[in-house]
Amino acid sequence: MDKREDSGISLYEFFLVLWAGRKIITIFTVSALFIGLIYITVKTPSYESRIFYTLDILPPSVDTDLTAGNVKMLSENIRLDYESLFYEKYLFEKWKKDNSNSSLTFDVLSSVEQIDGFDLSKKSEDKVISFVSPLRKGVDYYINVKTSDLSFLNDLYNYSNYVNDNLTQRYLESTRKGQKFIENLSSEQKMSDYSFKISVTVGKFISSIEDGERLLNVSPPTVPEKISPIYRLVIIFSLFAGFFLGCFYVHIKNSIIGINTTKQ
């Protein structure tokens, strides 16, 4: 019973101390809020946008009877080729020559950074640009972009299409080689069902590309969403931090005064 009364008295005294130091606590809270507002004003906003891309046309396959599994595998190969070509330095430098005023640099684009002479993969939170694979069906692949420079998005969109054009030309050149191989077959070989189907597929693909189609359909960037600073969180954190620091200061100050009084 005595313990409960002592704890009750101690808690009551604690709140009396806080109430007595309410002015100091208020000063700490307001000061922290003021610092938070300064941070919001000074901090450069960071935005996040997405560039979605989908497979627009399938290149010829050695398997003329494409199943859902084969289509998925072929689509995945094209996506991986696109991502690999996207990070090719020589290709970026070719694009940069024609877009010298662009703010886009290979260091920002690259998923690798040099530390003490070693090439290391960037942490996910440090990547400005990253390729994202959907976790569920019905969602397209996309390039996630984090930037405080909105004009940067337009440059990246142009570069994404440039990579798509180069990838399409590579598949076109490969298909044309296949077409020449078919043309050099004997008359009997050309007459087989397999050769005929391949020839038709190859012809359709080449015609489509020559008519302006591309392997991928790259969509313009989505409307940027601000990801930092988040005003509400900054203000709430500032208020709580200021309040608890004020309480801590008042409590410590009162404890020191109590110890000095006891010694006297």
Side-chain angles (χ1 to χ4, degrees), residues 9-257:
I9 293 171
S10 299
L11 189 61
Y12 177 72
E13 290 175 348
F14 175 73
F15 280 111
L16 283 180
V17 170
L18 295 183
W19 179 252
R22 62 187 180 278
K23 290 183 179 180
I24 295 176
I25 294 173
T26 302
I27 291 172
F28 267 86
T29 304
V30 172
S31 298
L33 178 61
F34 182 69
I35 293 171
L37 292 173
I38 291 176
Y39 171 79
I40 290 174
T41 305
V42 175
K43 174 69 174 176
T44 303
S46 183
Y47 297 87
E48 186 175 71
S49 179
R50 296 174 178 181
I51 298 176
F52 288 91
Y53 61 97
T54 55
L55 185 64
D56 204 29
I57 181 173
L58 273 175
S61 172
V62 292
D63 190 348
T64 56
D65 297 321
L66 287 174
T67 62
N70 291 336
V71 170
K72 184 178 180 181
M73 184 175 66
L74 188 56
S75 302
E76 183 65 13
N77 288 338
I78 294 172
R79 188 192 69 79
L80 292 174
D81 287 341
Y82 180 66
E83 183 174 345
S84 176
L85 197 59
F86 191 92
Y87 291 118
E88 287 289 348
K89 190 173 183 179
Y90 82 91
L91 184 65
F92 176 80
E93 289 175 347
K94 282 178 63 179
W95 176 84
K96 188 70 173 179
K97 284 182 181 179
D98 298 328
N99 299 270
S100 55
N101 294 327
S102 170
S103 59
L104 183 61
T105 64
F106 188 75
D107 289 337
V108 173
L109 183 75
S110 178
S111 60
V112 177
E113 62 181 341
Q114 269 207 345
I115 300 178
D116 297 331
F118 295 96
D119 289 335
L120 302 173
S121 296
K122 292 179 181 177
K123 296 179 181 177
S124 57
E125 61 267 21
D126 295 334
K127 290 181 180 179
V128 175
I129 301 162
S130 56
F131 280 76
V132 180
S133 301
L135 297 176
R136 64 183 188 276
K137 293 181 179 180
V139 180
D140 296 332
Y141 290 93
Y142 63 90
I143 303 169
N144 197 66
V145 190
K146 292 184 288 186
T147 181
S148 56
D149 182 5
L150 297 183
S151 64
F152 175 87
L153 285 174
N154 187 57
D155 293 335
L156 185 63
Y157 174 59
N158 290 334
Y159 177 68
S160 300
N161 277 307
Y162 180 78
V163 175
N164 187 25
D165 290 341
N166 275 267
L167 181 65
T168 301
Q169 288 304 311
R170 290 191 178 194
Y171 272 84
L172 178 61
E173 290 172 9
S174 176
T175 303
R176 280 175 174 161
K177 289 179 181 179
Q179 188 181 44
K180 288 181 179 179
F181 175 78
I182 294 172
E183 289 173 353
N184 292 328
L185 292 175
S186 65
S187 298
E188 290 183 2
Q189 289 174 321
K190 288 181 182 178
M191 292 301 292
S192 68
D193 289 341
Y194 177 77
S195 296
F196 179 75
K197 288 181 180 179
I198 287 290
S199 180
V200 170
T201 305
V202 166
K204 284 183 177 179
F205 177 77
I206 293 175
S207 297
S208 297
I209 299 303
E210 290 177 346
D211 288 342
E213 289 194 45
R214 294 294 177 262
L215 280 178
L216 301 172
N217 178 28
V218 181
S219 301
T222 59
V223 176
E225 296 179 0
K226 185 182 287 186
I227 55 175
S228 71
I230 302 175
Y231 297 157
R232 183 171 57 184
L233 290 180
V234 173
I235 291 173
I236 291 174
F237 176 79
S238 299
L239 289 172
F240 272 96
F243 176 77
F244 284 112
L245 283 174
C247 292
F248 180 75
Y249 175 81
V250 168
H251 178 68
I252 294 298
K253 182 182 178 182
N254 183 72
S255 298
I256 293 172
I257 292 174

